[in-house]
Amino acid sequence: MGDFNNYEAVIGLEVHTQLLTKTKMFCSCPNIFGKEPNSAVCPVCLGLPGALPVINLEGVRLAVKAALALNIGINKKSLFARKNYFYPDLPKGYQISQYLDPVSSDGYLSVKTDGTEKKIRINRLHIEEDAGKLIHAGSRSYVDLNRAGTPLVEIVSEPDLSSAAEAVEYLKNLREILVYLEVSDGNMEEGSFRCDANVSVRRKGEDKLGTRAEIKNVNSFKFVQKAIEYEIERQIEITLAGGKVVQETRLFDSKTNTTRPMRGKEEAHDYRYFEEPDLPPLILDDEFIGEVKKSITELPRAKREKYVSKYKLTEYDAEALTKDKEIARYFEDLIDKNNGRVEIKKLANWVVNDLLFGLKSITSIGKPANKEVIEKAISELTHVGADNFLELILEVESGNINKNTGNTVLLEMLKDPNKRAAEIIKEENLAQVSDDKGIEEVISRVLSENPKELEAYFAGKDKLFGFFVGEVMKKSKGKANPKKVNEMLRGYLESLKKGGN
Ligand code: ADP
Ligand code: MG
Ligand code: ZN
């Protein structure tokens, strides 16, 4: 039999994600979450006899957008099919889905794990509708059909993943792309991005796939990780003990971090698919596909790579700046408006270290990545317009105020986004207060930017003193008191000389 290390895991993921359309996939009911139960329903999504579905073009557009971003081939002709099964939250007795001819097939998503790049093949992305929801309360169950008919795409990977960590990386990448493209809100708690994990194990070196178990509807990255880890261990243990893994659907229990059977053994489950007689084939032309292609903005990964290679930012900064689309947009806006005046690296520092940190302090984020808090921070951030923030940066970079004062001003700006940096500086007399420090900073900058002159000065070329004064005055935009500059410069040079000897 051997031990654990002789076995490897094989994982394939099925992801369902809700599309950000205004209306449902086949009727004009609003696509909403969390409203009064059964308040967004009509004869079509209630499945009343005689009601006819109509394809939501916006849903098709978003599906095609996602497919293109995931390198999945678009099929110009695809078909809708009925997937038949009985469930109380499915009044029609079938779900409209795509089966034999999906809207797109054969793609991949590149995932970085352990520093190496791996292409995870994607079998297909197809369009379907969500079912309603059962609400269990005490001994009763209720049916809410608001979700019935919500547009979904299902994205099915090939079994190319080989660890829980890899699976999570794939999901994070996938989700990030969908959210960036505004195809989906990616909200896992609300179920708009959910995953079924298919897991099997086999002896290393074996080609044949083992029997898989499917873990249904895992709704957080952490749970996916735990569920897959547990499942791999369970299956290897069974195999090592001479048993056989059965093909079944399992549920993850987040209290115990284990999985347990949900439905009995599924023979190839028979949904009796057949072509949806109430809908025509979906035909897409080059023009439509071309238009959708044009609407695809730069993806996060490409952004990160650009930030590192073109803007010379660290991986850390690139990551922080691209994690959220709004932050990236803000940063790029800043670069545009800056128009080469301040080094991009410095702009990045301002955003990552000062602005985001400032937001954290006033929204008391403190701890990382609480979605609500981050969202609040971002809405505040976009309130402090990039041009206003840039004004502040320039005030500091030109030496008008020092960095500490800059941060004070920034906090003021965050509290009251309508206030301009200059206004705050003037009102609170900040430029005056920081004068000494400000001048000293400018002096230090002028001297370090002119090392040759400095050397010549120390070698006896006294005339250069006037040159330094001129530079300091220029840099402080004439605001500095010339007498003070003279005094401070002399003192500074003295101390340099002493320090140098
Ligand atoms: P369904 O679950 O609807 O029957 P499929 O047969 O298409 O559909 O498989 C769904 C998912 O299961 C795919 O992501 C696929 O990669 C994965 N899968 C299939 N066989 C295995 C296996 N032996 N081990 C792990 N994953 C598998
Ligand atoms: Mg499945
Ligand atoms: Zn409806």
Side-chain angles (χ1 to χ4, degrees):
M1 286 276 105
D3 62 33
F4 256 76
N5 294 329
N6 295 334
Y7 288 84
E8 64 179 6
V10 175
I11 302 152
L13 300 176
E14 294 162 271
V15 169
H16 285 91
T17 192
Q18 284 177 2
L19 303 178
L20 279 172
T21 54
K22 285 198 185 66
T23 55
K24 293 186 181 180
M25 195 60 221
F26 302 108
C27 63
S28 54
C29 289
N31 176 15
I32 44 156
F33 175 84
K35 291 279 150 60
E36 171 85 5
N38 300 309
S39 63
V41 291
C42 75
V44 175
C45 53
L46 285 175
L48 301 186
L52 289 173
V54 176
I55 300 170
N56 179 345
L57 186 62
E58 189 53 23
V60 175
R61 209 188 297 278
L62 293 180
V64 170
K65 195 173 179 184
L68 288 171
L70 295 167
N71 317 293
I72 312 178
I74 306 298
N75 300 320
K76 287 188 177 166
K77 179 182 175 188
S78 65
L79 299 174
F80 288 98
R82 288 187 182 181
K83 180 181 183 179
N84 300 283
Y85 62 96
F86 172 79
Y87 210 67
D89 64 9
L90 189 73
K92 293 201 294 283
Y94 61 85
Q95 230 175 329
I96 303 179
S97 181
Q98 295 191 303
Y99 184 53
L100 290 180
D101 297 277
V103 69
S104 64
S105 46
D106 295 322
Y108 65 87
L109 180 59
S110 277
V111 172
K112 233 186 206 163
T113 47
D114 297 333
T116 57
E117 202 71 49
K118 186 169 169 184
K119 270 188 182 177
I120 308 303
R121 289 169 303 151
I122 294 175
N123 175 287
R124 61 197 269 143
L125 174 152
H126 71 242
I127 300 169
E128 55 184 42
E129 58 175 341
D130 216 339
K133 230 196 272 184
L134 286 182
I135 299 158
H136 305 286
S139 60
R140 286 166 188 264
S141 290
Y142 300 89
V143 181
D144 175 10
L145 293 174
N146 281 352
R147 197 178 73 174
T150 294
L152 283 182
V153 288
E154 177 173 350
I155 302 163
V156 183
S157 88
E158 296 291 348
D160 287 349
L161 297 154
S162 30
S163 70
E166 227 171 75
V168 169
E169 200 51 36
Y170 167 88
L171 288 174
K172 282 188 173 164
N173 274 279
L174 184 58
R175 181 180 171 280
E176 186 178 56
I177 290 172
L178 296 172
V179 172
Y180 244 76
L181 293 179
E182 291 171 8
V183 163
S184 168
D185 66 16
N187 191 326
M188 296 179 84
E189 288 124 66
E190 290 177 5
S192 51
F193 183 91
R194 48 192 203 255
C195 158
D196 302 339
N198 295 271
V199 180
S200 67
V201 298
R202 66 180 169 196
R203 266 193 97 86
K204 279 182 186 157
E206 185 116 22
D207 285 333
K208 212 172 140 258
L209 292 177
T211 306
R212 74 183 146 121
E214 179 175 4
I215 313 157
K216 274 282 179 205
N217 279 335
V218 200
N219 69 349
S220 86
F221 293 131
K222 200 175 110 210
F223 293 166
V224 170
Q225 173 102 24
K226 297 274 179 220
I228 294 177
E229 277 168 3
Y230 174 81
E231 193 54 29
I232 293 171
E233 210 174 297
R234 185 186 74 87
Q235 294 186 12
I236 296 180
E237 267 168 15
I238 290 177
T239 314
L240 284 177
K244 274 203 157 58
V245 174
V246 289
Q247 181 166 344
E248 64 186 352
T249 303
R250 298 177 71 87
L251 271 185
F252 176 65
D253 182 342
S254 58
K255 288 202 187 77
T256 56
N257 285 334
T258 59
T259 66
R260 61 184 146 79
M262 171 172 140
R263 301 184 198 132
K265 180 179 168 179
E266 276 176 304
E267 311 287 335
H269 35 204
D270 191 352
Y271 290 117
R272 311 253 162 168
Y273 280 101
F274 63 85
E275 200 178 321
E276 167 62 68
D278 291 339
L279 288 172
L282 178 63
I283 310 284
L284 305 175
D285 59 20
D286 288 326
E287 201 191 329
F288 178 84
I289 298 169
E291 252 172 49
V292 178
K293 205 175 245 162
K294 264 194 258 151
S295 75
I296 296 181
T297 46
E298 190 173 36
L299 296 175
R301 179 120 185 233
K303 265 197 204 307
R304 275 200 280 284
E305 282 162 9
K306 182 175 82 182
Y307 286 10
V308 171
S309 65
K310 190 169 160 205
Y311 300 154
K312 311 287 177 228
L313 304 186
T314 58
E315 296 268 353
Y316 175 86
D317 283 354
E319 176 88 25
L321 289 164
T322 53
K323 236 191 180 116
D324 185 277
K325 189 176 54 195
E326 291 307 322
I327 294 176
R329 194 178 283 167
Y330 187 90
F331 177 59
E332 288 175 21
D333 196 18
L334 203 59
I335 292 177
D336 266 4
K337 297 208 159 86
N338 174 54
N339 201 12
R341 282 178 287 180
V342 179
E343 244 182 286
I344 291 182
K345 173 88 194 120
K346 277 193 180 151
L347 294 180
N349 282 340
W350 271 99
V351 175
V352 176
N353 299 335
D354 300 300
L355 184 54
L356 296 180
F357 182 77
L359 286 167
K360 275 179 208 162
S361 68
I362 63 160
T363 54
S364 67
I365 295 183
K367 48 191 174 292
N370 173 326
K371 189 169 175 294
E372 228 169 87
V373 178
I374 297 262
E375 259 168 23
K376 183 158 176 271
I378 287 162
S379 87
E380 282 170 30
L381 163 130
T382 35
H383 263 103
V384 178
D387 44 355
N388 197 10
F389 187 44
L390 186 61
E391 277 174 29
L392 169 65
I393 296 175
L394 290 169
E395 295 278 1
V396 175
E397 292 302 321
S398 69
N400 277 352
I401 55 172
N402 62 32
K403 188 71 200 289
N404 283 340
T405 311
N407 282 339
T408 314
V409 175
L410 178 58
L411 282 179
E412 289 294 312
M413 284 163 62
L414 290 170
K415 277 185 209 144
D416 183 356
N418 294 320
K419 278 221 165 125
R420 314 293 297 186
E423 226 180 302
I424 298 170
I425 294 168
K426 203 168 153 208
E427 261 177 34
E428 312 206 356
N429 225 1
L430 291 170
Q432 288 290 312
V433 174
S434 65
D435 235 357
D436 273 11
K437 258 202 156 162
I439 293 174
E440 193 173 329
E441 277 180 14
V442 180
I443 289 175
S444 136
R445 203 135 50 88
V446 164
L447 296 183
S448 66
E449 277 170 14
N450 298 284
K452 272 204 203 109
E453 281 77 359
L454 188 60
E455 203 178 314
Y457 175 79
F458 280 140
K461 212 171 167 193
D462 287 342
K463 260 196 337 212
L464 281 167
F465 186 81
F467 163 77
F468 292 136
V469 172
E471 286 300 300
V472 172
M473 292 306 290
K474 234 192 278 170
K475 274 219 156 58
S476 53
K477 290 190 189 153
K479 272 193 188 170
N481 178 335
K483 207 171 144 220
K484 202 154 205 180
V485 171
N486 267 282
E487 273 169 28
M488 290 180 70
L489 181 61
R490 212 168 284 287
Y492 199 94
L493 287 167
E494 275 306 314
S495 70
L496 266 191
K497 204 170 180 182
K498 279 198 199 115
N501 286 341

